[in-house]
Amino acid sequence: MKPLILVSNDDGITSKGILTLINVMKTLGDVIVVAPDGPQSGMGHAITVGETLRLEENFIFEGVKAYECSGTPADCVKMARHFVLKGQRQPDVVVSGVNHGSNTSISVLYSGTMSAAIEGAIEGTPAIGFSLCDFSHDADFSHAEEYIRKITKQVLDKGLPKGIALNVNFPPKRNEAIKGIRLCRQANAKWVEEFDERYDPNGRRYFWMAGNFVNFDKGEDNDEWAIANNYVSVVPCQFDLTAHQALPVLNELWDII
Amino acid sequence: MKPLILVSNDDGITSKGILTLINVMKTLGDVIVVAPDGPQSGMGHAITVGETLRLEENFIFEGVKAYECSGTPADCVKMARHFVLKGQRQPDVVVSGVNHGSNTSISVLYSGTMSAAIEGAIEGTPAIGFSLCDFSHDADFSHAEEYIRKITKQVLDKGLPKGIALNVNFPPKRNEAIKGIRLCRQANAKWVEEFDERYDPNGRRYFWMAGNFVNFDKGEDNDEWAIANNYVSVVPCQFDLTAHQALPVLNELWDII
């Protein structure tokens, strides 16, 4: 039996990146799509509570059952499992993306792409978020396709350790071919924001979030290094946020326990 | 010099929980508030990209400089640091909450309360998210106040290990006093969603996300156990999502590297 592959993303169901992902997945198994009906970038692991959700069938992908959802990427994966596929066969893998833009290092926290993958992992399904380090609307994904296929096939064949989703980033299209795949840790880097202050036509102040990405990491075992050196970066990500190593430290340090 | 304490939350600036937190913080230092102008529950680590932000001064707290922001909890902490306090003294601690409702176990991922704290930790500032396991709008926070003060004072006095924010949950008010503080790991539990399908007055289908929380964890060293047994749970949380232990496993398992 062909594997069942659930596809979602955060750029919305009409993005070029999800079309790339669907086309590769069709070569590997049966595909079902539940994706946001519009852009949901930067949504982190948001879910829709206190508001209603819409879900409509969508007919843009030939031969693929697809739904568009008014919610976040995490909502989409929840609705796929607990409504669309309720009582039916569940997916063998959840894939998300391909995101238009980098989700390396700290961006994994803000990433809607990765929240869909992590939601899959929470449910015990192997899951992968794919991102291309090129924010253009018409980005060239062609050099990534072979790697998307290879990595997904490997995960389908061999599974993933429990509680893990993969954060896969591709370098932008360059003249030279991608050098290969690197297993990495999340780089130590962050955004330094600046708020661009403006006034609307009514004289009321508003802001745009802007800023610069600063990489503090000098290592060669992290995702920023891999992308800068034209490798595909693969970071296994966990949803247990416990800093286990800090427990004995705090136990020693504190006098209120 | 008194410490500078930045307060935020996810239930919005008019919630009872933030008022409780501000009142306790005023006994420990100088307080500045930057909080959402409305409810932002379930926002995870969302940030506002591709849309504008508003920030207005707010005068509801006596003797405390406060701002309300149209964005997410993570936006609030970013705006506090990079706009409101730009070029000035930065906070000695970031505190968030007190949330109306539990943020134990997997809920830490969906929690706007914790995203404000984690945003503080990313900037290198000790940070704490406080939540009361009672979702009522008029929840009784009185039994938590002494512990909020003790834990914040401990963090101000002794700092926190690098890259850590604390996820603190309080049991709901009971007849017996809280038994004490427990350092915990995040419990192994998840939400099993059900989507409540309805039709609007125009005959179009919509959904409410509902569901049940299921705890698979039999241990006594996790936050669910602590709350059930009337302890305050304290989980040190990290923003490095790398599953370091999975790197050698994948390295061994994969034949595409």
Side-chain angles (χ1 to χ4, degrees), chain A residues 158-215:
Chain A
K158 307 199 169 184
L160 279 180
K162 213 171 150 237
I164 300 294
L166 300 182
N167 181 21
V168 177
N169 279 262
F170 300 103
K173 177 92 171 178
R174 298 190 176 110
N175 290 330
E176 58 163 357
I178 287 175
K179 285 185 193 146
I181 298 171
R182 299 273 289 209
L183 287 170
C184 303
R185 61 173 172 78
Q186 175 183 325
N188 174 22
K190 68 171 182 180
W191 290 89
V192 177
E193 276 83 14
E194 289 191 17
F195 288 90
D196 189 349
E197 190 179 357
R198 301 189 183 189
Y199 287 83
D200 70 17
N202 299 314
R204 260 189 84 205
R205 190 172 64 166
Y206 69 98
F207 300 86
W208 288 105
M209 190 188 290
N212 297 303
F213 182 74
V214 184
N215 185 4

Side-chain angles (χ1 to χ4, degrees), chain B residues 20 23 25 55 83 93 95 129 157 163 177 190 219 221 228-229 248 255:
Chain B
T20 300
N23 285 337
M25 292 305 127
L55 182 82
F83 181 77
V93 68
V95 293
D157 289 350
K190 69 171 181 180
D221 56 346
N229 289 275
D255 52 34

Side-chain angles (χ1 to χ4, degrees), chain A residues 41-56 74-75 78-79 82-83 86 106 108-110 118-119 122-123 150-151 154-155 158-162 164 166 181-186 188 190-195 197 200 204-209 234-247 249-251 253-257, chain B residues 41-56 74-75 78-79 82-83 86 106 108-110 118-119 122-123 150-151 154-155 158-162 164 166 181-186 188 190-195 197 200 204-209 234-247 249-251 253-257:
Chain A
S41 294
M43 284 309 282
H45 212 92
I47 50 172
T48 302
V49 289
E51 281 178 46
T52 59
L53 287 163
R54 299 280 188 179
L55 182 81
E56 304 286 353
D75 291 333
K78 286 179 186 293
M79 286 206 88
H82 297 292
F83 181 75
K86 191 176 178 175
I106 195 75
V108 66
L109 282 185
Y110 307 105
I118 287 176
E119 197 59 41
I122 291 171
E123 294 285 359
K150 261 191 200 171
I151 293 168
Q154 191 89 145
V155 168
K158 307 199 169 184
L160 279 180
K162 213 171 150 237
I164 300 294
L166 300 182
I181 298 171
R182 299 273 289 209
L183 287 170
C184 303
R185 61 173 172 78
Q186 175 183 325
N188 174 22
K190 68 171 182 180
W191 290 89
V192 177
E193 276 83 14
E194 289 191 17
F195 288 90
E197 190 179 357
D200 70 17
R204 260 189 84 205
R205 190 172 64 166
Y206 69 98
F207 300 86
W208 288 105
M209 190 188 290
V234 178
V235 179
C237 293
Q238 62 199 4
F239 53 80
D240 176 2
L241 302 192
T242 312
H244 291 278
Q245 74 288 357
L247 285 168
V249 177
L250 288 174
N251 203 34
L253 192 68
W254 280 16
D255 51 33
I256 56 171
I257 319 177
Chain B
S41 294
M43 285 307 283
H45 212 92
I47 50 172
T48 302
V49 288
E51 282 179 47
T52 58
L53 287 164
R54 298 281 187 177
L55 182 82
E56 302 287 352
D75 290 333
K78 286 180 185 291
M79 285 207 89
H82 296 291
F83 181 77
K86 190 176 178 175
I106 196 73
V108 66
L109 282 185
Y110 307 104
I118 287 175
E119 197 58 44
I122 291 170
E123 293 285 359
K150 261 191 199 170
I151 292 168
Q154 192 89 146
V155 168
K158 307 197 168 183
L160 279 180
K162 213 170 149 240
I164 300 294
L166 301 182
I181 298 172
R182 299 273 290 208
L183 287 170
C184 302
R185 62 174 172 79
Q186 175 183 324
N188 173 22
K190 69 171 181 180
W191 290 90
V192 178
E193 277 83 15
E194 290 191 15
F195 289 89
E197 190 178 356
D200 70 16
R204 261 190 83 205
R205 190 172 63 165
Y206 69 97
F207 301 86
W208 287 105
M209 191 188 290
V234 178
V235 178
C237 294
Q238 62 199 5
F239 52 81
D240 176 2
L241 302 193
T242 313
H244 291 277
Q245 75 287 359
L247 285 167
V249 177
L250 289 175
N251 203 36
L253 193 68
W254 280 16
D255 52 34
I256 56 171
I257 318 176

Side-chain angles (χ1 to χ4, degrees), chain B residues 95-108:
Chain B
V95 293
S96 175
V98 181
N99 191 57
H100 293 242
S102 162
N103 277 318
T104 52
S105 73
I106 196 73
S107 302
V108 66

